[in-house]
Amino acid sequence: MNRKTNSATSILKQDYLRLKKDPVPYVVAEPVPSNILEWHYVVKGPEKTPYEGGFYHGKLIFPGEFPFQPPSIYMSTPNGRFKVNTRLCLSISDFHPDTWNPAWSVSTILIGLLSFMIEKSPTLGSINTSDYKKKQLAAQSLEYNLRDKMFCELFPETVEVIKAELERRKELEKQTRHPSMTSEVSSLIRDQLQREQSPLHRVLTNVFAIVGFVAFAYAVKYVLRSIAIE
């Protein structure tokens, strides 16, 4: 390991400690244990954006010359904003070393990535997808990330959050289906009762009709008898 790489390693370790002490909103990041020059991050979709509810995994590849040279930035989770597994052309990435500032830290990079993600300005590596599609991808991102071994190894706490959310969705879907099933069962029971009660209803109707007719005949007979007496 040369002197430049030693310097990059030392600075990245310091950045990691600062990041743990002062986390970036909506973003967590972890270096690969065997290689501190490779970091992985997870962006949690901010509220009131098409990414809400989604989790987006990607990586940063730092050069041995860091912080004097910028990292490469990749997104791994389908998101509707960036192409996956493609170097992103951002002012904080190695596509633009001329705009890079050596004073910028890992936190600065993550904040810049999040900011650009929720914007709509085009760049190399970005794609133009509708908000509806982004919302669909946000919902699908949870199960997608659980299939990623590196994601699960580096972000066990996020994995538990995702599993709990998937279980919540499953329970909600079950509850949504249940009232419909109950309504169908109730309708079947109601129809059956109506079928069972309809013969009785017809009998009672006939009895009341006969009773009414007898009462009417008796009343007529009484009136005629009264008239005859007079």
Coordinates of all heavy atoms in Angstrom, one line a residue, residues 10-11 22 26 32 58 99 128 139 158 162-164 173 188 198-199 202-203 205-206 220 230:
S10 N -6.7 6.6 5.9 CA -6.8 7.4 7.1 C -7.9 8.4 7.1 O -8.7 8.5 8.1 CB -5.4 8.1 7.4 OG -5.5 8.9 8.5
I11 N -8.1 9.1 6.0 CA -9.1 10.1 5.9 C -10.5 9.5 5.9 O -11.4 9.9 6.5 CB -8.9 11.0 4.6 CG1 -7.7 11.9 4.9 CG2 -10.1 11.8 4.3 CD1 -7.2 12.6 3.7
D22 N -22.6 12.0 13.2 CA -23.5 12.9 12.6 C -24.0 12.4 11.3 O -23.6 12.8 10.2 CB -22.8 14.3 12.4 CG -23.7 15.4 12.0 OD1 -24.9 15.2 12.2 OD2 -23.2 16.4 11.4
Y26 N -31.7 10.4 5.7 CA -32.1 9.6 4.7 C -31.1 8.7 4.0 O -31.4 7.9 3.1 CB -32.8 10.3 3.5 CG -34.0 11.1 4.0 CD1 -33.9 12.5 4.1 CD2 -35.2 10.5 4.3 CE1 -35.0 13.3 4.5 CE2 -36.3 11.3 4.7 CZ -36.2 12.7 4.9 OH -37.3 13.4 5.3
V32 N -16.8 -1.6 2.9 CA -16.6 -3.0 2.8 C -15.5 -3.3 3.8 O -14.4 -2.7 3.8 CB -16.2 -3.5 1.4 CG1 -15.9 -5.0 1.4 CG2 -17.4 -3.2 0.4
G58 N -26.5 1.5 -3.4 CA -25.5 1.8 -4.4 C -24.1 1.8 -3.8 O -23.9 1.4 -2.6
T99 N -14.5 19.9 -11.0 CA -15.4 20.5 -10.1 C -15.3 20.0 -8.7 O -15.9 20.4 -7.7 CB -16.9 20.4 -10.5 OG1 -17.2 19.0 -10.5 CG2 -17.1 21.0 -11.9
N128 N -35.2 9.3 -17.8 CA -36.4 10.1 -17.6 C -37.6 9.2 -17.4 O -38.2 8.7 -18.4 CB -36.6 11.0 -18.8 CG -37.8 11.9 -18.6 OD1 -38.3 12.2 -17.5 ND2 -38.4 12.4 -19.7
A139 N -41.9 0.6 -4.4 CA -42.5 -0.5 -3.7 C -41.8 -1.8 -3.9 O -41.7 -2.6 -3.1 CB -44.0 -0.6 -4.2
T158 N -31.2 -2.2 8.4 CA -32.1 -1.8 7.4 C -32.9 -3.1 6.9 O -34.1 -3.0 6.5 CB -31.4 -1.2 6.2 OG1 -30.6 -0.1 6.7 CG2 -32.3 -0.7 5.1
I162 N -36.9 -3.4 6.6 CA -37.6 -3.8 5.3 C -38.5 -5.1 5.5 O -39.6 -5.1 5.1 CB -36.5 -4.1 4.2 CG1 -35.9 -2.8 3.7 CG2 -37.2 -4.9 3.0 CD1 -34.8 -3.0 2.7
K163 N -38.0 -6.0 6.3 CA -38.8 -7.2 6.5 C -40.0 -6.9 7.3 O -41.1 -7.4 7.0 CB -37.9 -8.3 7.3 CG -36.9 -8.9 6.5 CD -36.1 -10.0 7.3 CE -35.1 -10.7 6.4 NZ -34.3 -11.7 7.2
A164 N -39.9 -6.0 8.3 CA -41.1 -5.6 9.1 C -42.1 -4.9 8.2 O -43.3 -5.0 8.3 CB -40.6 -4.7 10.2
E173 N -52.7 -6.3 3.2 CA -53.4 -6.9 2.1 C -54.4 -7.9 2.5 O -55.4 -8.1 1.9 CB -52.3 -7.5 1.2 CG -52.8 -8.1 -0.1 CD -51.7 -8.6 -1.0 OE1 -50.5 -8.4 -0.7 OE2 -52.0 -9.3 -2.0
L188 N -74.2 -14.8 0.8 CA -74.6 -16.1 0.5 C -75.6 -16.6 1.6 O -76.6 -17.3 1.4 CB -73.4 -17.1 0.5 CG -72.5 -16.9 -0.8 CD1 -71.2 -17.8 -0.6 CD2 -73.2 -17.3 -2.0
S198 N -88.8 -18.2 2.2 CA -89.8 -17.8 1.2 C -91.0 -18.8 1.3 O -92.2 -18.3 1.2 CB -89.2 -17.8 -0.2 OG -88.6 -19.1 -0.5
P199 N -91.0 -20.1 1.5 CA -92.2 -20.9 1.6 C -93.0 -20.6 2.8 O -94.2 -20.5 2.7 CB -91.6 -22.3 1.7 CG -90.2 -22.3 1.1 CD -89.7 -20.9 1.4
R202 N -94.9 -17.5 2.1 CA -96.1 -17.6 1.2 C -97.2 -18.3 2.0 O -98.4 -17.9 1.8 CB -95.7 -18.6 0.0 CG -94.8 -17.9 -1.0 CD -94.7 -18.7 -2.3 NE -94.1 -20.0 -2.1 CZ -92.8 -20.2 -2.2 NH1 -92.0 -19.2 -2.5 NH2 -92.4 -21.4 -2.1
V203 N -96.9 -19.2 2.9 CA -98.0 -19.8 3.7 C -98.7 -18.8 4.6 O -99.9 -18.7 4.7 CB -97.4 -21.0 4.6 CG1 -98.4 -21.5 5.6 CG2 -97.0 -22.1 3.7
T205 N -98.8 -15.6 4.2 CA -99.5 -14.7 3.3 C -100.9 -15.3 3.0 O -101.9 -14.6 3.0 CB -98.8 -14.4 2.1 OG1 -97.5 -13.8 2.4 CG2 -99.5 -13.4 1.2
N206 N -100.9 -16.6 2.6 CA -102.2 -17.2 2.3 C -103.1 -17.3 3.5 O -104.4 -17.1 3.4 CB -101.9 -18.6 1.8 CG -101.3 -18.6 0.4 OD1 -101.4 -17.6 -0.3 ND2 -100.5 -19.7 0.1
V220 N -120.2 -8.8 6.2 CA -121.2 -8.6 5.2 C -122.5 -9.3 5.6 O -123.6 -8.8 5.5 CB -120.8 -9.1 3.8 CG1 -122.0 -9.2 2.8 CG2 -119.7 -8.3 3.2
E230 N -134.7 -5.0 10.2 CA -135.3 -3.7 10.1 C -136.4 -3.7 9.2 O -137.5 -3.0 9.3 CB -134.3 -2.6 9.7 CG -133.2 -2.4 10.8 CD -132.1 -1.4 10.3 OE1 -132.2 -0.9 9.1 OE2 -131.2 -1.1 11.0

